[in-house]
Amino acid sequence: MKVQNKRWTDEEFFTEREKVLKQWPTGAEVDSQEAIDFLKKIPEEKNFADVMAKAKREGKTLAQPRAGVALIDAHIELLTFLTDQGGADLLPSTIDSYTRQNRYDECEVGIKESLKAGRSLLNGFPAVNHGVKGCRMVYNAVSKPLQARHGTPDSRLLAEIIHAGGYTSNEGGAISYNVPYAKSVPIDRCLHDWQYCDRLVGFYEENGVHINREPFGPLTGTLCPPSTSNAVAIVEALLAAEQGVKNITVGYGQCGNLIQDVAAIRSLEEQVNEYLKKFGYNDVLITTVFHQWMGGFPQDEAKAFGVISWGAATGSLAGATKVIVKTPHEAIGIPTKEANAEGIRATKMVLNMTEGQLLPEGKELRAEIDLIKAETRCIIEKLFELGKGDLAVGTVEGFAQGVMDVPFAPSKYNAGKMMPARDNNGAVRYLFTGNLPFTKDILDINREKLEERAKFEGRPVSFDMTTDDIFAVGFGRLIGRPK
Ligand SMILES: CC[C@H]1O[C@@H](n2cnc3c(N)ncnc32)[C@H](O)[C@@H]1O
């Protein structure tokens, strides 16, 4: 499929829209003008983009959980509980796995079975099947802004339904909801489909409706080096801006070393704004999101609260606009509403105690920011070179050549040649760089830091460090020290 990083014409968009809205019966509930009129009436305090902009202005860090169940009433009860008992500032609807694969017929079965069983038999909220009407019921029942959170390579119909339904934010992107989530979705196909989702937001923006878009920062959530995830976030932000998106939250998944994590957020915000300005997107508001640890969690709930609180503290000290909250049931599965609310309360306690405190920019932090930006720049500049100036073309070619390479990703379009490991302070470094286009200085710095760990541990730099690190947090520590 031929892709190019160029804003779709109205003719291109509306021609495709007719097909998209026919993919499932609830697509017929989308009435463009009615949706615009409804969305324009949403008060600022229930508009995701406005609430994020306000938090940014005030220097506040907000807390947002993940949550989703099969049936509308139970989903409303869950979100209301997380608002009232958890203190959530922003609300999700985590979408179920069938919807993420566009298997809406399976969702129908799941909904019917859940009704029969009296409990959720889906691992999230099947928004497409519930339709605009069902999403409006959720929107009308809750008091905070709503966002769809999922992992959907083809989110076109889902985006149509949730936005018309009152959800003023959609998470995801052509790389971040494909490469870490799907095995066989071609990069160009997904670029096309997410250009649709971004163009839909651009269309709403042109009609006076503010909608937020949030590339999925953590990717596989497994030892993902900051410059790898930052490069993906910046690419998706640039592609979204080209389609008319004006309010973007770029994100990053906690790795665990304080300096590196703060540097990741600071460098991400600095660098995405530099690139937006460079390409003339001067009216895009950037906010940031810090995801609490996305790797394996300890089963012990007290230890899990330690991990959650460390993520809350780091996100706050970084100055992130929001933190995505984990729960003490992370090691087990879908959390109860009580456990989910506990994760939010623990997070809010730390955010309140660290309010106004930012990690000062010392020599070490600036050095880490500069290293992350240099690594990220190498990747992005190479994409532009491969695409002869077109970022979409460059991204397709970049994955084909392993210039952009996500660790532990299931996608067969991902090279999977890069491997990370922690250095002796727990910062995630590049162990194998595959075809990443790094300078010799960058390669040397990463190697030196891993050699420091090898010397301390009395073992050679090797992939054993990677595997030890993958299990470390679940066993109660950050760095996977040899037995
Ligand atoms: C991005 C992956 C994360 O999303 C979370 N998650 C997925 N589905 C749900 C769900 N239905 N309710 C609450 N949290 C959920 C869980 O923490 C998982 O590790």
Side-chain angles (χ1 to χ4, degrees), residues 256-274:
N257 171 280
L258 177 62
I259 294 279
Q260 184 176 54
D261 286 340
V262 172
I265 289 287
R266 301 275 175 86
S267 58
L268 176 55
E269 184 165 12
E270 272 180 30
Q271 205 159 23
V272 73
N273 278 311
E274 286 162 12

Side-chain angles (χ1 to χ4, degrees), residues 423-473:
D423 68 16
N424 214 32
N425 296 318
V428 175
R429 303 299 174 192
Y430 290 92
L431 170 68
F432 309 136
T433 51
N435 297 337
L436 293 181
F438 289 154
T439 61
K440 186 176 176 317
D441 285 354
I442 287 172
L443 295 173
D444 291 347
I445 290 169
N446 278 275
R447 188 73 198 177
E448 278 152 31
K449 287 181 181 292
L450 291 171
E451 288 294 354
E452 280 167 21
R453 173 182 178 182
K455 189 157 168 279
F456 177 84
E457 293 181 348
R459 64 170 167 174
V461 172
S462 81
F463 186 63
D464 290 348
M465 293 176 167
T466 308
T467 50
D468 289 342
D469 292 340
I470 286 172
F471 296 100
V473 174

Side-chain angles (χ1 to χ4, degrees), residues 66-68 94 100 123-124 181 216 294 326 330 334-335 340:
R66 297 184 175 94
T94 299
R100 299 181 187 194
N123 63 351
Y181 280 94
F216 176 58
M294 294 292 283
K326 284 282 179 160
E330 179 59 23
I334 305 288
N340 208 335

Side-chain angles (χ1 to χ4, degrees), residues 48 63-69 75 78-83 86 88-96 100 123-125 145-151 171-172 176-177 181 214-221 251-254 289-295 297 308 322-330 333-344 347:
F48 212 96
Q64 181 182 12
R66 297 184 175 94
V69 289
H75 192 62
L78 171 60
L79 296 185
T80 304
F81 189 87
L82 297 181
T83 305
D89 299 303
L90 297 159
L91 293 174
S93 284
T94 299
I95 304 298
D96 73 285
R100 299 181 187 194
N123 63 351
F125 184 69
L146 279 163
Q147 174 186 48
R149 302 186 71 88
H150 39 105
E171 188 187 28
S176 62
Y177 267 9
Y181 280 94
E214 178 185 333
F216 176 58
L219 303 177
T220 54
Y252 165 76
Q254 177 182 17
V289 53
F290 184 82
H291 295 248
Q292 292 174 359
W293 174 246
M294 294 292 283
F297 252 65
I308 289 167
K322 75 173 178 180
V323 167
I324 302 297
V325 179
K326 284 282 179 160
T327 82
H329 287 182
E330 179 59 23
I334 305 288
T336 61
K337 65 180 187 300
E338 291 78 8
N340 208 335
E342 287 168 354
I344 307 168
T347 296

Side-chain angles (χ1 to χ4, degrees), residues 374-392:
E375 292 170 350
T376 305
R377 195 174 303 116
C378 287
I379 296 170
I380 291 189
E381 295 310 314
K382 189 70 181 171
L383 296 183
F384 276 106
E385 184 194 309
L386 292 173
K388 296 184 177 54
D390 186 300
L391 186 56

